[in-house]
Structure formats: C-alpha cells, structure tokens
Amino acid sequence: MSCDFRFLIPCALVFLWHPALAAKHASMPEVLAASSAADWRPLDPENTLYVELPNGRVVIELAPAFAPLHVVNIKTLTRAGYFNGLSIIREQDNYVAQWGDPDNRHPLPPGIGKVAAEFDSALPPHMAFTPLPDGDVYAPEVGFSNGLPVARSAPLHKVWLAHCYGMVGVGRDLDPESGSGAEMYVVIGHAPRHLDRNVALVGRVLKGIELLSSLPRGSAPMGFYDKNEKPLPIKSIRVAADVPAAERSNLEVIRTDTPTFAAVVESRRNRPEDFFKTPAGRIDLCNVPIAVRERPAAK
Amino acid sequence: MSCDFRFLIPCALVFLWHPALAAKHASMPEVLAASSAADWRPLDPENTLYVELPNGRVVIELAPAFAPLHVVNIKTLTRAGYFNGLSIIREQDNYVAQWGDPDNRHPLPPGIGKVAAEFDSALPPHMAFTPLPDGDVYAPEVGFSNGLPVARSAPLHKVWLAHCYGMVGVGRDLDPESGSGAEMYVVIGHAPRHLDRNVALVGRVLKGIELLSSLPRGSAPMGFYDKNEKPLPIKSIRVAADVPAAERSNLEVIRTDTPTFAAVVESRRNRPEDFFKTPAGRIDLCNVPIAVRERPAAK
C-alpha cells in the first residue's frame, strides 16, 4: 500500500507503515523497495520474445490484446526460424532500430501474408486502463493497460498503443495491410507519436534496449545501413516458451493497476529527490517508467 | 512564402507559385526545397562550439539569451583548453551523454566558480516566440525562440528552455549554483522535461549528435562508465570563432519566425506523405524538426 492523494489512500497509514515514506512523498526507489510480490506480474512465456544478438539478449513482451493477428504472425515467423541469421538493417538516430530481410534471403513461411491493419481497436468495455492525470498532446486520454502505454478516445470509441521509447512496431509499405511482422522496429528516440494509429505496435522491449539503441547509425536515407556498413547480425529470435527453463530470462513487470503504481507515477510527477528544486507536477505518458526486475527466488 | 491556414497566408498564391505545394499541403522536404535564402540564418561563430571526437565533430549552438553567465563560463573554460583531453564519462540510455572531469585531472581556470542558477528567466517583453498550437503536458505554452524549444508561463512571468532531444545542459550537484559549465550533458532520449527549470540549458546540438547517442551505455549507476569501460576521449572543444575559417562547419539553421517555418510545422502536424493514413493533426514541441543544412555557396 502506498500514499497517494489522488486515490484517497490514507497517507497517515502509510506514514506509520514505512518510515521512508514519511518525508514528502516517496521516491520511486523507495516505492519499489516497499512494494509487495502482488505488485508484480510474471511474463507469459507464450508472448515473450528473446532477440539474441552477439552482445546479449533483448526481451520483448508482445501485446496480443492490441494486435492479435500480428502477434500470431510474428510467433509463426519466429517458430519457423525466419529471423535467425537476419540483421539489424536500419538505425536512424532519434527514431528507430529495425530488423528484416531486405534482400529476401529468407522465404516467408507458409501462412504469412497480408494482415489486417491493427492500428487501433474498438474500445473494449472492460479493458484495464489506469489513466494519467496530466493530459497529452496527441490524444484525449492516455494511461496504462497491463504495463503498456495506451491512448484512447471516447468520441472515436478507439484505443491504441502509443509510440513511446522501447515500443515495438511492425514495418510496412504504403499499403496499410502490408506489414506481415517480418520487419519490426523499436523506438529509440523521442516518442514519434505521429506514427500512432498508422502502424501496428505489437509489444515493448523490457530488457536490453541499449543493445539496439547504441548501434552505429546507418548512413543511407532513413538510417538504413549502406552497402559498406556492417549490420549487426541477429543470432536468433525465439518465443520464450520454446526456450529451456534454465535459459529463460526470469523477469517480472510492475502491475499498472495498483496503489503502488499510482505512487510510482506520483514519485515521478513530483520528484522528491533533493536534486529537484522545482518539481514538474505533471508527467508525460512516455516519461513514466515501467519497472522490470529479476524475479526474486520463491520463499 | 508558404501556405498556412493558421496564419492566413493565401494558399491560392502558393499553389500557383510552386506546383509541389498544390497537392494537399506540402511535405517538409517540399517546404524546405521551396524556401528562400532569407528563411535561413547563419550561426554566430562566437556562440558555436565544436566538440572534436575521434570519430567526428559535434556542433553546438550556445544560447546566451537564456543562460548568459553559463555561456560566458563555458567559453572561458573552452578557451582555456579545459575540455581538451577529457572524456565522455556518462552514457545513460534514453537520457543523457555527459562529459566532464570526475577525477579532477584538469584544474578549473581562473574566474570559474559558482554561477547563478539560470534555470528560467523573467519573460522579456520582446523575445522572439513562435507558439505551437497543440498544447503541452508540462507548460502553459510552448514554441520556438530563434530555433530553440521554449516553454513559458504568463502567470509565472517566466520563460525557459525545454529539454528536447539534442539540448545541452550543465551538470550540477545538489546546490543549484554548483553547475559551472565544466560538466555538460546532451539529451539522447525521450525529452526529460522534468529537468526543465531544474538545470541550466545552454544550447543545442546542431550536427553530430549521433556520435554521442550511439556510444556504448555505461554500466555504473546513472550510466556512468565503470572503471573497466573505456570512455571516449574528447580531442578538443573550441569556440568556432577561434577556428580558422577553412576548418569551420559552414552551417545555417532555419528561422523559426517565418511563414516557411509555419509550413514546416504544419507539414509535421499533418504528414501529407502517402505513408500516413491518419495524420496526427497535432505536434509535440520536441517532435518539431529544426532544419540545419550546409550553407549554399554565395551566388
């Protein structure tokens, strides 16, 4: 339990309960240190990808709730070994890292073709949604749904994933249905929110994004690597469920529908650390950190 | 001249004047291609820094209008050769690249001491300001002043620079006046706007940011490099005015108080390119590109 005035959780109780929370409100490290096991959720191995690069592993959580057809395609491609031996082909500064097969070295496996443009969805009546209080430049309402940054519009009856840092999308051509999942990109710069509702977002990098964001930028147009540049090879992409348990990344993610998460948001809206002389009092959707950690050993 | 309904520039005239602008409104490349020499301004060599790295040059435009005392300090440090032979000491993913002298290898030159905390300024009555129309999460009003992203508040009678990608700030300790300019950072991730009004921003990277953003991330806390990691050396930092003319970067920047710039903003609020099926209709301050180009040879 954490103190948050917006949600009317009695702060006096928290002050008694955890001394670290008594001065101002708590900082994010303090909130996380005081969290309970129930504030975290494990990853679903069926919807987790491991991108194995020469210098380490990138862990992606897929978002079947938002792009079910793309997720099916991506898992089919992954299980067919389609990505193994391909490369990071594009590295555009302040924008995206992207992988794919521009030279058609790997044939698409059977069953992979055009996919409906899952750029947004009808607003499901019972979808988890933790709203943020400070507005958004691009959408009437923003918040989190199971750890994912989400925008929604009641007038449009639509919900969609937002292009925050670390989000994973599916490259496409001009045809909105041309994104099969064979090319994917990861946002590595200031949130390109103008891509929202124009591309299918399919998940989020939970770990290892620095392996993608720190690559040399490509010198060809749009950050593609030129012929004389050496793209980083992808050893493999695997569905976590297909990986022996001992080789899996044992991660858990903070739940975004709890008082603890509300306290995280508040700790970042008004940073209590001594460094901050003028707390912002507000927060942008893409500045809210979604904590990921190694899963503690069972007691 | 460019077509922009917000500023009531007659669009029919533009359609006659440049065929590329006739279909929808113009894309950014079309707007820039149709710009005139008067839409661009040269850099002031007295307020331009060259950061020479082993792999190339980073060009920084200083912002004396917003942080005059820090800019004086930085130029004093630069002209004393203080930065030559120091290193990039911090590389934190989705946050900042930072240089400085944590081991106190270089003594501070005379005259460098505490500086007033230039985190914001009283709103000058005649400061150039081109407002953006779509609001902001952090400030009542945002826009551009001589190419710099600016936030302002009429109630507070304050104006301040915004922490967009590529902005350059001055590292400090807990004391607000402890940032001499001897440590500087560059934003290399999603705009950390919570730093606004908490740190002195002193300029913007105009060219070469990819040399800073693509470095390996530091593994020590806050992205500092660990003892076993090899930080990138800084060959030198120089004021452009001190560099022989033949060795200078010959850049110019788009003016942000012209109809051409208004057309650039509109071209990004509603992307006319065929790829975009649902134009955003809005734009975030830090998503507006401020074009920089090689200065064309005089005719």
Side-chain angles (χ1 to χ4, degrees):
Chain A
M1 183 186 295
S2 306
C3 162
D4 191 296
F5 291 100
R6 281 182 303 131
F7 292 91
L8 300 174
I9 297 156
C11 288
L13 194 64
V14 177
F15 292 163
L16 289 173
W17 167 66
H18 194 307
L21 304 181
K24 304 185 200 178
H25 57 81
S27 69
M28 185 169 74
E30 290 165 341
V31 172
L32 297 181
S35 67
S36 72
D39 288 320
W40 302 80
R41 63 176 171 81
L43 301 183
D44 172 7
E46 262 303 321
N47 286 304
T48 304
L49 296 183
Y50 296 156
V51 181
E52 307 287 356
L53 301 173
N55 46 349
R57 175 182 287 178
V58 178
V59 180
I60 292 170
E61 182 173 40
L62 295 170
F66 290 88
L69 301 174
H70 282 84
V71 166
V72 165
N73 252 24
I74 288 166
K75 287 164 69 175
T76 300
L77 287 159
T78 299
R79 287 184 156 137
Y82 173 78
F83 297 107
N84 306 346
L86 294 182
S87 312
I88 313 296
I89 56 173
R90 178 186 184 192
E91 188 78 19
Q92 184 170 4
D93 196 64
N94 191 21
Y95 204 47
V96 296
Q98 186 169 326
W99 55 87
D101 185 19
D103 303 327
N104 296 310
R105 284 182 289 157
H106 294 190
L108 286 173
I112 301 296
K114 289 202 172 201
V115 185
E118 296 172 311
F119 301 165
D120 54 22
S121 336
L123 197 51
H126 303 298
M127 172 177 273
F129 184 73
T130 303
L132 288 176
D134 302 313
D136 182 68
V137 170
Y138 290 90
E141 200 177 17
V142 292
F144 287 90
S145 185
N146 292 320
L148 291 164
V150 163
R152 64 182 198 179
S153 165
L156 292 174
H157 301 285
K158 293 279 192 189
V159 60
W160 58 94
L161 293 173
H163 273 83
C164 293
Y165 195 91
M167 291 295 287
V168 182
V170 160
R172 64 164 173 85
D173 297 326
L174 291 185
D175 175 359
E177 300 191 351
S178 60
S180 66
E183 292 220 3
M184 284 184 267
Y185 64 87
V186 176
V187 173
I188 58 160
H190 186 76
R193 297 282 305 280
H194 50 282
L195 293 175
D196 289 4
R197 304 185 67 208
N198 282 286
V199 195
L201 286 168
V202 296
R204 185 170 83 88
V205 173
L206 295 190
K207 195 179 179 191
I209 191 166
E210 70 280 3
L211 304 175
L212 295 168
S213 58
S214 65
L215 296 176
R217 278 37 181 167
S219 63
M222 297 168 67
F224 282 93
Y225 285 119
D226 212 348
K227 292 295 174 197
N228 60 345
E229 292 166 328
K230 201 171 144 59
L232 190 75
I234 294 172
K235 288 161 69 176
S236 67
I237 301 187
R238 293 177 294 174
V239 178
D242 302 344
V243 173
E247 295 174 33
R248 290 189 198 163
S249 299
N250 199 18
L251 302 178
E252 57 183 17
V253 186
I254 197 152
R255 293 184 192 274
T256 49
D257 57 352
T258 64
T260 290
F261 182 69
V264 166
V265 171
E266 190 53 29
S267 76
R268 303 297 279 193
R269 294 177 75 236
N270 289 293
R271 295 281 293 258
E273 294 92 339
D274 288 339
F275 182 84
F276 289 88
K277 310 304 175 188
T278 305
R282 310 179 65 80
I283 197 160
D284 173 63
L285 172 66
C286 297
N287 272 330
V288 177
I290 302 300
V292 177
R293 68 178 187 184
E294 293 290 323
R295 205 170 179 192
K299 285 175 189 162
Chain B
M1 180 185 296
S2 305
C3 162
D4 191 298
F5 291 100
R6 280 183 304 134
F7 292 91
L8 300 174
I9 298 154
C11 289
L13 194 66
V14 177
F15 292 164
L16 289 171
W17 168 67
H18 194 308
L21 304 181
K24 305 184 197 175
H25 58 81
S27 69
M28 185 169 73
E30 289 165 342
V31 171
L32 296 181
S35 67
S36 71
D39 289 320
W40 302 79
R41 62 176 172 83
L43 300 183
D44 172 7
E46 260 304 320
N47 286 305
T48 303
L49 296 183
Y50 296 157
V51 182
E52 306 287 357
L53 300 173
N55 46 350
R57 175 182 288 177
V58 178
V59 180
I60 293 171
E61 182 173 40
L62 294 170
F66 290 88
L69 301 174
H70 282 84
V71 167
V72 166
N73 253 22
I74 289 166
K75 287 163 69 174
T76 300
L77 287 159
T78 299
R79 287 184 156 136
Y82 173 78
F83 297 106
N84 305 347
L86 294 182
S87 312
I88 312 296
I89 56 174
R90 178 185 184 192
E91 188 79 19
Q92 185 169 4
D93 196 64
N94 191 21
Y95 204 47
V96 296
Q98 187 169 325
W99 55 87
D101 184 18
D103 304 327
N104 296 311
R105 285 182 288 159
H106 294 191
L108 285 175
I112 300 297
K114 289 202 172 203
V115 186
E118 297 173 311
F119 302 166
D120 54 22
S121 337
L123 197 52
H126 301 299
M127 172 176 273
F129 184 72
T130 303
L132 288 176
D134 302 314
D136 182 68
V137 171
Y138 290 91
E141 200 176 18
V142 292
F144 288 89
S145 184
N146 291 321
L148 291 164
V150 163
R152 64 183 199 179
S153 164
L156 294 174
H157 300 287
K158 294 278 191 188
V159 61
W160 59 92
L161 292 173
H163 273 84
C164 292
Y165 194 91
M167 291 296 285
V168 181
V170 159
R172 65 164 171 86
D173 297 326
L174 291 185
D175 175 359
E177 299 191 353
S178 61
S180 66
E183 291 220 4
M184 283 184 266
Y185 64 86
V186 176
V187 174
I188 58 159
H190 187 76
R193 296 283 306 280
H194 50 282
L195 293 176
D196 289 4
R197 304 186 66 208
N198 283 287
V199 195
L201 287 167
V202 296
R204 187 170 82 90
V205 173
L206 295 189
K207 194 178 179 191
I209 192 167
E210 70 281 1
L211 304 176
L212 294 167
S213 59
S214 65
L215 297 175
R217 277 40 180 164
S219 63
M222 298 169 66
F224 283 93
Y225 285 120
D226 212 347
K227 294 293 173 196
N228 60 345
E229 291 166 329
K230 201 171 144 56
L232 190 75
I234 294 172
K235 290 161 68 175
S236 67
I237 301 187
R238 294 178 293 175
V239 178
D242 301 344
V243 173
E247 294 173 33
R248 290 190 199 162
S249 299
N250 198 18
L251 301 179
E252 57 183 17
V253 186
I254 196 152
R255 294 184 192 274
T256 49
D257 57 353
T258 63
T260 290
F261 183 69
V264 166
V265 171
E266 190 53 29
S267 77
R268 303 297 280 194
R269 295 177 76 235
N270 289 293
R271 296 282 293 258
E273 294 93 338
D274 289 339
F275 182 84
F276 289 88
K277 309 307 174 187
T278 305
R282 309 180 66 80
I283 197 160
D284 173 64
L285 173 66
C286 297
N287 271 330
V288 177
I290 303 300
V292 177
R293 68 177 187 185
E294 294 288 325
R295 205 169 179 196
K299 284 177 189 164

